[in-house]
Amino acid sequence: MNDSDTSGQSSAPLDGVDSTSGEPLGSTPDTSGEPLVLGIETSCDETGVGIVRGRTLLANAIASSMDEHSRFGGVVPEVAARAHLEAMTPTINRALTEAGVTLDELDAVAVTCGPGLAGALMVGVAAAKALAVGLGKPLYAVNHLVGHVGADLLQGDGLREAVGAVGELELPTIALLVSGGHTSLLLVRDLVSDVEMLGETIDDAAGEAFDKVARLLGLPYPGGPQIDRVAAEGDPHAIRFPRGLTLPKDLERHRYDFSFSGLKTSVARWVEKHEQSGESLPVADVAASFREAVADVLLTKALAACRDLGVPRLLLGGGVVANARVRELARERCEAAGVELRVPPLSLCTDNGAMIASIGAQLVAAGHEPSGLGFGADSTLPVTEIQVR
């Protein structure tokens, strides 16, 4: 970033690197006070930069390239990467202004290094490395999925909504993460050292299925909000669409895994058959019935994990959590099962830099050593790698 780009923010000279190892000279920050951490998130189509002090959210700046992808009906990786490149500096500056801090005041920089779109991740990783080296600050490369759990730790005026429980997040917890690129069920025993993947989608992610079904119904991209809007006027029990991987034979091998490809195909066949009959398509009923099938499977599997593992709490994360029926069904079923439900504010459910800064701050507070400069973007980073060294 040049001087005009930084809006007066001062920066350290480019001398914060060991000339032999190439590692940042900044050691693990002093944890006597709450660490001030800037987080960068570029795993998909949103450039997110967040700043936290410990668990207090100071800034959550997001630049979305969704409009650029809408004409293609989905995210185009090359377009996303270029959009991140163009938005990075302005978004960093906006976050600094919102937080009322300068770059020199930061204790550390955190960045998503995976999983996600490789080209998009590379932009964020490069920007974070440049900041860490230029400022002589420690750098923490963290896992995108774990970041969604870290969002629930953040505190601030008006952040906690009535959707879920209040107070400290207790561990262990089951975490259901649902977005356009991921549908994952996690067991979180310790946020910075022990996260286990219980199950994930074996084909389409839930958000991806929403986009594809929306296209079948003639609704614009992104499909999730559009189906949610239309479904509000429909009957969720009008059509019994299949619930993937819920039959006894499937549960033996895929108890906590998800599949939405068959559901999407079933909707396509139903729509095709109905259109061939010459009747008008009941879009609202199809949307409501599809949404119900997705929400049913998500919550059935998540609460099965809570029951099987004896964990009386469930945390939801990811953009699909914005779906009204998913939240409503989660409240109903968690209350009936005696399970505590936690849902971060919707502004922190979608991809954002604040959740990455949150994990970075937790790593600092736990005394973890910073990552070196040798890590790269890893589009298939396993959730067990919370921090990449």
Side-chain angles (χ1 to χ4, degrees), residues 40 88 92 109 122-132:
I40 296 175
M88 184 59 65
I92 290 175
V109 176
M122 288 178 187
V123 178
V125 167
K129 287 183 178 181
L131 277 177

Side-chain angles (χ1 to χ4, degrees), residues 226-242:
Q226 297 298 330
I227 286 182
D228 210 26
R229 174 181 60 82
V230 173
E233 303 299 323
D235 178 2
H237 306 294
I239 309 159
R240 174 68 184 185
F241 287 125

Side-chain angles (χ1 to χ4, degrees), residues 41 112 114-115 142-154 177 186 191 195 315 317-318 344 348-360 383 386:
E41 154 61 32
T112 296
V142 305
N143 192 294
H144 169 82
L145 294 178
V146 181
H148 277 297
V149 182
D152 191 70
L153 300 179
L154 294 175
L177 309 180
L186 314 180
L191 198 54
V195 177
L315 184 149
L348 296 178
C349 285
T350 55
D351 294 345
N352 63 86
M355 69 185 194
I356 303 305
S358 176
I359 296 297
V383 73
I386 300 167

